[in-house]
Amino acid sequence: MRIVHRSARLLIPLLLLAFVPAPHSPATALYKKIKVFVLVPPERILSGVNQIAVLDFSASGRGGWGVGRRFSDYLISQLLEPDRGIHRLQTGFLGMGSGREGESLQEGAITNVFQIVERTRLEEVMQEQSLEASELLDESNAVDFGRLLGVQAIVLGGLTHTQNSKNSTRTNVFTGETEPCLEREVRVHVRFRVVGTETAEIMGSEEARLPVEEKKCGGSIDEVPPMDELLERALAEAAVAAANYVTPHFELREFELERISTREFSEAGEEAAEAAEDLDVDEAYLHYWTIYEQDPYNPRVLYNIGILHEVVGNYRQAQEFYGMAYQLRDEGRYRDAVDRVERNVAFADMLAQIGIVVEEHEFRVTGADLARISATQVEVKGAREQRTPVFARPDEASSVVVQVPGGVTFTVVAQEGDWFRVQLMGGGEGYLHKSKVKVRD
């Protein structure tokens, strides 16, 4: 006889409920989004700095200076990454799909904005000056050392780390049996500062606390990583936080578009939003621009155009359109957008000072493009299994160019009486009688 523990019988329905999509009202339904990696400014912008040196960090506790040196290596590695923060995205329900590569639409955007002095050069100068690593903990010595290296700033600091291991037990909810558990935890506390070598002033200081822990029970208890592995993970994560303080990084952002509810422009708005969601921002911009030309005081259109400019890195244009939307409608998300791109504009100016320029994306709106998206479209009647003839001339006695299935949509080039001259796939043209098609709104 199969026995199920009582708590398991209660848990299973709850788990099933967790996989049932929660209903939501139209008022709370989310609209289409652009999901893309964008460059995020650092906490501290180091104006006038293009070359830095990262000194070995001091470290107390097990491992001593060796731990501090490894943290410095992790930090240097992060500072040298050109696309730090971009990672592979999982797709499908609960991220169980095959995944796809992360993508940024900001051409020329990078995260390795500083030249970093190599460790071999640091060691050469230390030997020449007969300096010990411990002597560089003194800020005045470190500044003098930085001047000898020819850098504008130095990064230095220290860290502490603690380790804890704990054994416990738990009751297995499925079997009712008691099983052993093992939990290991490492906590790293890093304190660092950036000092300018010309003025010897602190340009910025920060600290990061990173806990890394693993707990397994029963048959998985041997899978708990050793302390040294957890320590390395904690050091690597703390290095990411430190790097984010002084250099930009890519961050996955979701920009929710606003639905164009005006009846006259709703279809064009939907086409624009669908293109934007597929990251075809040029096509999306074209559709929104046609609406903007006819309704230039629509704050939703202005806001969406601002989003398109922001995701490609056109921060000044984004600032302009967000600002116009905010003038027309005082909404929190509009105000937040204005504040956000103001910081990005300042950041872009700082990058330009050290020769790094995020390339401006040119949205081109040509007359041919406008004609294409504003042209009348017709859909062939009937099922896909059925075929309708397309004639060479507006006459059923003329030759048949091609037989097309029902449901296919064509752009109308011209209307001649009861006939539509349409653009065919591959660039050709032909005629469809109006009785065989329906005009799309």
Side-chain angles (χ1 to χ4, degrees):
M1 181 175 67
R2 183 162 166 262
I3 300 175
V4 179
H5 196 271
R6 180 175 181 275
S7 58
R9 293 200 302 269
L10 294 174
L11 179 62
I12 291 171
L14 291 174
L15 289 173
L16 292 174
L17 285 173
F19 285 92
V20 177
H24 54 263
S25 65
T28 60
L30 296 178
Y31 190 49
K32 293 179 174 59
K33 297 179 179 180
I34 302 178
K35 190 173 183 179
V36 69
F37 286 93
V38 299
L39 198 64
V40 178
E43 289 295 316
R44 178 67 63 183
I45 294 175
L46 305 180
S47 299
V49 174
N50 56 26
Q51 191 171 28
I52 65 174
V54 179
L55 306 186
D56 284 348
F57 276 52
S58 65
S60 61
R62 183 170 172 261
W65 276 95
V67 174
R69 183 179 179 123
R70 291 205 302 279
F71 172 78
S72 297
D73 288 339
Y74 280 123
L75 178 54
I76 291 171
S77 177
Q78 288 294 319
L79 295 175
L80 292 174
E81 279 288 327
D83 55 358
R84 188 162 48 85
I86 295 180
H87 55 268
R88 187 172 178 81
L89 299 176
Q90 294 303 117
T91 60
F93 180 62
L94 296 182
M96 293 186 289
S98 59
R100 64 177 178 83
E101 293 301 318
E103 187 173 353
S104 172
L105 302 177
Q106 298 177 343
E107 299 176 13
I110 56 174
T111 55
N112 53 339
V113 297
F114 300 122
Q115 297 176 38
I116 312 295
V117 177
E118 295 182 359
R119 181 175 292 282
T120 54
R121 176 58 181 158
L122 293 178
E123 293 173 347
E124 285 175 2
V125 176
M126 288 178 67
Q127 289 179 0
E128 291 171 1
Q129 301 299 315
S130 300
L131 286 170
E132 298 292 335
S134 58
E135 294 179 81
L136 296 180
L137 295 177
D138 183 289
E139 201 165 284
S140 61
N141 289 340
V143 169
D144 290 339
F145 184 64
R147 289 171 182 162
L148 290 171
L149 291 168
V151 299
Q152 291 82 43
I154 54 173
V155 179
L156 67 161
L159 65 87
T160 58
H161 65 95
T162 59
Q163 302 178 0
N164 183 45
S165 180
K166 182 171 64 175
N167 294 97
S168 61
T169 60
R170 75 170 185 185
T171 301
N172 189 303
V173 295
F174 295 103
T175 66
E177 297 178 352
T178 299
E179 57 187 19
C181 297
L182 173 61
E183 180 179 6
R184 288 181 179 143
E185 178 189 62
V186 171
R187 291 182 175 270
V188 170
H189 180 198
V190 178
R191 301 165 302 283
F192 62 95
R193 57 195 182 278
V194 183
V195 183
T197 57
E198 293 182 4
T199 62
E201 294 181 353
I202 296 177
M203 304 180 74
S205 62
E206 183 65 301
E207 56 184 282
R209 300 174 187 270
L210 270 298
V212 175
E213 55 188 24
E214 287 278 354
K215 181 179 180 179
K216 299 288 184 181
C217 297
S220 303
I221 198 169
D222 293 335
E223 297 176 11
V224 178
M227 285 294 188
D228 287 345
E229 182 179 327
L230 293 179
L231 175 59
E232 295 304 311
R233 282 167 48 182
L235 293 174
E237 291 179 19
V240 172
N244 287 351
Y245 180 71
V246 293
T247 59
H249 66 282
F250 284 100
E251 199 171 274
L252 186 62
R253 292 279 178 88
E254 287 186 343
F255 297 84
E256 185 178 353
L257 298 159
E258 294 212 326
R259 187 189 300 273
I260 308 302
S261 55
T262 309
R263 182 177 179 182
E264 181 182 357
F265 305 117
S266 61
E267 184 177 351
E270 287 300 311
E271 291 176 348
E274 288 174 5
E277 197 168 45
D278 292 336
L279 301 188
D280 188 353
V281 290
D282 291 296
E283 184 72 9
Y285 188 89
L286 183 59
H287 285 285
Y288 281 132
W289 190 261
T290 60
I291 302 173
Y292 170 69
E293 286 194 323
Q294 300 171 75
D295 189 9
Y297 295 96
N298 186 325
R300 294 188 174 189
V301 176
L302 295 169
Y303 179 74
N304 288 349
I305 292 177
I307 286 177
L308 294 178
H309 277 297
E310 183 177 359
V311 298
V312 298
N314 296 348
Y315 296 126
R316 283 183 171 79
Q317 294 91 325
Q319 187 178 37
E320 177 185 355
F321 281 94
Y322 283 149
M324 290 190 291
Y326 183 47
Q327 285 185 53
L328 294 171
R329 183 180 296 169
D330 186 355
E331 285 195 2
R333 66 191 308 187
Y334 294 175
R335 182 174 57 255
D336 291 344
V338 170
D339 293 341
R340 184 174 63 245
V341 294
E342 280 183 358
R343 179 170 173 80
N344 283 324
V345 167
F347 175 54
D349 290 341
M350 186 277 290
L351 287 181
Q353 292 175 14
I354 57 176
I356 297 171
V357 179
V358 177
E359 298 175 19
E360 182 175 320
H361 183 90
E362 185 178 357
F363 289 110
R364 295 184 178 180
V365 182
T366 66
D369 288 331
L370 292 174
R372 173 176 60 82
I373 67 169
S374 60
T376 301
Q377 293 190 318
V378 293
E379 181 181 326
V380 180
K381 295 179 180 178
R384 293 206 176 271
E385 295 77 20
Q386 298 174 315
R387 295 282 177 156
T388 298
V390 178
F391 297 95
R393 296 188 300 278
D395 183 352
E396 291 185 354
S398 66
S399 60
V400 175
V401 177
V402 68
Q403 299 271 357
V404 296
V408 176
T409 300
F410 294 100
T411 297
V412 176
V413 178
Q415 184 171 359
E416 301 176 19
D418 291 338
W419 292 83
F420 290 108
R421 180 155 58 95
V422 298
Q423 182 78 47
L424 300 173
M425 294 181 182
E429 294 183 355
Y431 289 86
L432 282 165
H433 194 271
K434 70 176 186 179
S435 62
K436 303 295 184 181
V437 299
K438 56 183 177 181
V439 178
R440 295 187 61 181
D441 296 330

